[in-house]
Amino acid sequence: METRLLPAIANTPDGKEAEAILRACVHCGFCTATCPTYQLLGDELDGPRGRIYLIKQALEGAEVTARTQLHLDRCLTCRSCETTCPSGVRYGRLVDIGRKFVDDRVGRTAVDSARRGALRRGLLSRSLFGSALTLGRWAKPFLPRRLAASIPDARSAGEWPVQRHARQVLIPAGCVQPSLAPNIDAATARVLDRVGISAIAVAGAGCCGALSYHLSEHDEARALARRNIDAWWPYIERGAEAIVVTASGCGVMVREYDHLLAQDPAYAPRAKRVAALARDPVELAAAAWAELAPQVDRAGTSLRVAFHPPCTLQHGMQIHGEVERLLAGAGFTLLPVTDSHLCCGSAGTYSILQPDLANALRSNKLHALEAHRPQVIATANIGCMTHLQSGTGIPIRHWIELLDEATSGGQARGNATAVGSAAAASASVG
């Protein structure tokens, strides 16, 4: 693809990166076949190839309007197109550059700006979000059914193992997950403890920065990344061997800290080290499976599980089939799911900013996940969990919670039975 970028952007880091990405595209259109929004809307401008042309034209000086902005806003940044692309086009990075460029020129309406600002303030503040969630849970019986369905019930975190092993990893708390599902991090710590790895919950860190970055607040995202690096660095210097990020949406962001802070000489070397240490829980569990497998309680209930691989896991981190292999090895019955490559519609704040498209994608995804009557639906990202749960009565769990229960002795039977009973009750009511 030939490019003639504006002089004002051409020699900047973003401009140079955008030009390299644009030149890699050969217009083949394979990406449209796996783009969720193109499948829903059938509009070339709501597919990766069309958006690439919009970004190219914008960077070359063509007029940009609110319509341009809308087509870019509709992108989920699911990166399914990257998995499909035979030319290796890094579309996810290009669309973030394009959004920022267009937003700076078009601006936002007062209502849209206020909504996006409120989302950032509310979701980035753990105390504010936690308080709002507590209030929402209290008021749940009085809320409209659709709104009440989006508020998850409170769940206990369970026990966090004491630090007793020479091998140590960090588990960042993140922003919304500690309030929504505190058991995920604790379950990860328990599983790792069973294979001789102690997990440290790090205070002082927070949001990974993905929320801000995808809302075109790139400077804010970099500030959040720096804060996290500062909080994690003393533990890394003392020998922590990995940063285990239990939400795949955050994991893919942390893996890109080296790119995010590449132009910051004070942080670039540490950012590169942090990105190299970032791991999804499945990578550690798979590596330790020989030690973990003998601890599986084969007498426990064998649940029928449908697994939804988040886009950030399969397209962002390019991890395919590992979670399914572990769950099957732990005795769960893994059910087939059609179109497992497609997004569920969560995509960070997308489900709030683009509710019609997000709900249509959720409906399609749940239809595929529920086709073989699972007792539980498993996934690997808190956003997918809450979005899917708002549309079904079948329990949605993080896969590490299931693995924790399967390797925890007698507790596994009790928890698995409880999940199965809840699923059966939901099915009988529905």
Side-chain angles (χ1 to χ4, degrees), residues 207-214 217-228 253 257 260-261:
C207 178
C208 65
L211 187 150
S212 301
Y213 195 76
H214 295 311
E217 296 293 339
H218 293 186
D219 288 341
E220 183 176 75
R222 293 186 183 97
L224 293 169
R226 293 185 190 101
R227 182 188 66 181
N228 289 340
M253 184 66 183
Y257 273 10
L260 185 67
L261 296 174

Side-chain angles (χ1 to χ4, degrees), residues 106-191:
V106 176
R108 295 278 175 182
T109 66
V111 172
D112 199 16
S113 294
R115 179 170 54 172
R116 287 166 173 259
L119 276 174
R120 292 190 356 263
R121 287 190 295 273
L123 297 179
L124 293 180
S125 170
R126 199 176 300 166
S127 59
L128 184 60
F129 179 80
S131 298
L133 182 61
T134 299
L135 180 61
R137 284 168 173 162
W138 176 84
K140 196 170 179 179
F142 312 104
L143 298 175
R145 182 175 180 179
R146 178 171 293 185
L147 180 58
S150 67
I151 302 173
D153 294 331
R155 291 162 61 186
S156 170
E159 182 182 359
W160 191 290
V162 297
Q163 295 176 30
R164 59 194 178 108
H165 303 293
R167 297 180 64 189
Q168 295 187 338
V169 299
L170 310 182
I171 297 185
C175 46
V176 301
Q177 185 171 288
S179 299
L180 289 170
N183 186 50
I184 295 173
D185 286 348
T188 304
R190 291 191 291 267
V191 170

Side-chain angles (χ1 to χ4, degrees), residues 243-266:
I243 301 167
V244 183
V245 189
T246 56
S248 63
C250 302
V252 74
M253 184 66 183
V254 176
R255 285 192 179 199
E256 295 182 350
Y257 273 10
D258 56 341
H259 171 263
L260 185 67
L261 296 174
Q263 306 304 317
D264 185 337

